[in-house]
């Protein structure tokens, strides 16, 4: 390089060029010109080698300062450009939330409604309340005693097999389990009535039950029952049969008939199974009713004196009847649902029909 280098002039030129860059692209170009390998500053420092020591020292210092100044200017400009570009981008993509009306694009939001099983439970309660019953509830987690023992089903009784369940705790002093039927609520009610001196009892007890049943057209592993219990003086089997008949007509209508078939339950004697005409085939026989024309809705019978004994009720003074039937099964029969599993599949196209 010949002649003295005007470092101040180089810095002044760089300052003007840097200030003129206002996009990232411009900036890259300007940065290469003012501080790249071919910039005037780098060229000037190449000349240092051929200078005498004093002049080299002075120019070296000036170039070093110039370099720091230019780097500082570049950095400040880079930040300013990035900030400006980001702000422009954000302004362009800004969403005015005050203009958004939820659900407008998809149409009005439909209101949900109770599941068919809940509706059925409510309807059954209404029918029984209309017949003079009260509504009670009991726990879903039970001890062995309430689910089995107090109901005259001691350990190793064969009836435990058909009411096998899910145990939460197996062993001493008592197992705890998910109740297999609503019959244990009978025991709770009778115990309370004996304690409080509030016999007689006329109650229905709806609730969820659990069984080790493989789901099929008429069974679920988690289902619902409604239990009935009447304990009073002079109650007979005719009262039970009349109650079942009145309920069937009130809930299913005059075309659906009921029948009682002799059966066995450890907690009632005599016992019966309560069946109604299959509404799917109108009694002709189909897959849902296993070609019989009848669907079992539940069990019933006169309260066994052994059950009265387990809760301290005098069987010479009091008699009673009990029944228990499936709420899901009622929903299935009333609405002609061929497969009960549809109730738990959460298919909105199915559920919204009810
Ligand atoms: C009982 O559970 C007795 N506790 C009924 C009873 C009460 C008898 C009081 C006498 C006195 P059972 O296991 O048969 O009985 O069940 C009664 C009803 O519950 C059945 O008829 C059916 O409607 C319903 N049910 C039983 N198991 C299932 C299941 N896995 N899925 C859906 N519904 C069921």
């Amino acid at each position: 390089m010949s002649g003295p280098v005007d470092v101040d002039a180089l810095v002044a030129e760089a300052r003007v060029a840097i200030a003129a860059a206002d996009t990232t692209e411009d900036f890259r170009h300007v940065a290469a010109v003012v501080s790249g390998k071919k910039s005037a500053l780098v060229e000037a420092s190449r000349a240092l080698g051929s200078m005498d020591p004093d002049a080299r020292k002075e120019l070296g210092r000036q170039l070093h300062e110039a370099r720091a100044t230019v780097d500082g200017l570049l950095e400040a400009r880079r930040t300013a450009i990035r900030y400006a570009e980001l702000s422009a981008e954000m302004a362009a993509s800004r969403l005015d939330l005050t203009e958004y009306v939820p659900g407008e694009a998809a149409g009005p939001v439909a209101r949900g409604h109770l599941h068919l099983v809940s509706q059925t439970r409510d309807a059954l309660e209404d029918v029984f309340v209309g017949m003079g019953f009260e509504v009670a509830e009991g726990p879903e987690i039970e001890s062995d005693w309430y689910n089995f023992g107090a109901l005259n089903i001691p350990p190793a009784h064969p009836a435990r097999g058909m009411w096998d369940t899910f145990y939460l705790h197996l062993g001493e002093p008592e197992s705890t389990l998910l109740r297999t039927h609503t019959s244990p609520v009978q025991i709770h009610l009778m115990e309370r009535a004996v304690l409080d001196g509030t016999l007689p009892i006329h109650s229905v007890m709806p609730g969820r039950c659990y069984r080790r049943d493989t789901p099929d057209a008429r069974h679920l592993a988690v289902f619902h029952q409604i239990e009935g219990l009447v304990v009073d003086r002079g109650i007979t089997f005719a009262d039970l049969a009349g109650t079942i008949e009145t309920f069937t007509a009130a809930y299913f209508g005059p075309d659906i008939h009921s029948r009682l078939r002799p059966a066995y339950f450890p907690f009632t004697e005599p016992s019966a199974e309560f069946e109604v005409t299959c509404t799917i085939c109108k009694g002709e026989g189909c897959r849902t009713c296993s070609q019989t024309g009848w669907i079992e809705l539940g069990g019933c019978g006169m309260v066994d004196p052994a059950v009265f004994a387990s809760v301290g009720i005098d069987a010479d003074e009091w008699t009673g009847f009990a029944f228990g039937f499936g709420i899901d099964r009622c929903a299935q029969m009333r609405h002609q649902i061929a497969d009960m599993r549809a109730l738990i599949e959460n298919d909105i196209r199915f559920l919204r029909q009810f």
Side-chain angles (χ1 to χ4, degrees):
M1 189 170 179
S2 59
V5 179
D6 188 347
V7 177
D8 288 345
L10 288 184
V11 172
E13 272 171 35
R15 191 186 297 276
V16 172
I18 291 169
D22 49 20
T23 64
T24 301
E25 216 180 314
D26 277 358
F27 176 82
R28 279 203 199 103
H29 176 70
V30 169
V33 171
V34 301
S35 79
K37 281 185 204 146
K38 291 184 182 157
S39 63
L41 274 177
V42 172
E43 290 287 330
S45 49
R46 280 200 192 108
L48 289 173
S50 57
M51 296 175 81
D52 65 76
D54 283 348
R56 183 195 309 156
K57 201 173 162 199
E58 176 52 22
L59 184 61
R61 189 190 56 77
Q62 286 180 15
L63 286 175
H64 183 74
E65 273 177 14
R67 181 87 212 185
T69 306
V70 169
D71 283 351
L73 289 169
L74 282 171
E75 192 47 43
R77 192 67 199 140
R78 188 207 316 273
T79 308
I81 291 172
R82 274 195 63 201
Y83 181 80
E85 286 184 347
L86 217 66
S87 302
E89 221 172 88
M90 279 166 68
S93 63
R94 196 182 135 149
L95 187 65
D96 183 357
L97 292 177
T98 59
E99 280 185 5
Y100 177 70
V101 180
E104 200 176 52
V109 179
R111 224 174 137 194
H113 62 69
L114 289 179
H115 188 278
L116 176 59
V117 173
S118 306
Q119 293 180 38
T120 306
R121 173 187 160 144
D122 289 352
L124 291 170
E125 283 181 15
D126 284 350
V127 170
F128 283 112
V129 167
M131 290 166 69
F133 285 81
E134 286 174 18
V135 179
E137 282 186 52
E140 288 175 25
I141 296 174
E142 276 295 6
S143 67
D144 191 281
W145 171 251
Y146 283 97
N147 197 68
F148 295 123
L151 289 163
N152 203 24
I153 317 172
H157 190 288
R160 287 195 176 213
M162 68 180 179
W163 288 310
D164 198 9
T165 183
F166 305 94
Y167 284 82
L168 303 172
H169 166 73
L170 193 58
E172 302 298 331
E174 275 249 299
S175 303
T176 44
L177 45 85
L178 296 178
R179 69 178 177 193
T180 50
H181 47 181
T182 40
S183 299
V185 192
Q186 288 186 35
I187 305 297
H188 289 292
L189 278 194
M190 287 191 277
E191 279 180 341
R192 208 173 309 143
V194 168
L195 268 177
D196 300 347
T198 52
L199 284 173
I201 295 170
H202 306 90
S203 293
V204 287
M205 301 142 255
R208 193 176 290 134
C209 305
Y210 306 80
R211 284 189 198 180
R212 277 196 52 185
D213 280 353
T214 305
D216 64 21
R218 283 173 303 166
H219 296 89
L220 300 174
V222 180
F223 62 101
H224 303 77
Q225 285 188 341
I226 184 162
E227 191 84 8
L229 176 68
V230 169
V231 178
D232 209 334
R233 293 185 176 90
I235 296 293
T236 69
F237 199 91
D239 296 312
L240 167 60
T243 302
I244 298 277
E245 191 56 38
T246 308
F247 156 74
T248 305
Y251 184 71
F252 289 103
D255 295 343
I256 300 299
H257 302 289
S258 68
R259 70 175 187 183
L260 296 180
R261 286 200 311 152
Y264 169 73
F265 293 100
F267 34 93
T268 46
E269 181 61 33
S271 305
E273 245 158 34
F274 154 37
E275 297 182 340
V276 295
T277 316
C278 176
T279 55
I280 314 277
C281 61
K282 307 280 181 289
E284 296 284 306
C286 67
R287 185 173 71 93
T288 307
C289 63
S290 307
Q291 313 302 331
T292 63
W294 295 91
I295 290 275
E296 178 203 311
L297 218 54
C300 59
M302 302 305 290
V303 179
D304 195 296
V307 174
F308 279 150
S310 70
V311 293
I313 290 180
D314 181 358
D316 290 332
E317 185 183 352
W318 303 92
T319 48
F321 68 76
F323 57 82
F325 56 84
I327 297 179
D328 319 71
R329 200 65 75 75
C330 277
Q332 179 175 28
M333 283 302 101
R334 172 111 171 223
H335 299 281
Q336 292 135 52
I337 298 164
D339 195 318
M340 192 187 275
R341 286 169 289 195
L343 292 173
I344 56 164
E345 278 165 358
N346 282 342
D347 186 335
I348 196 77
R349 293 167 302 178
F350 169 78
L351 292 173
R352 69 154 62 102
Q353 299 175 78
F354 306 103

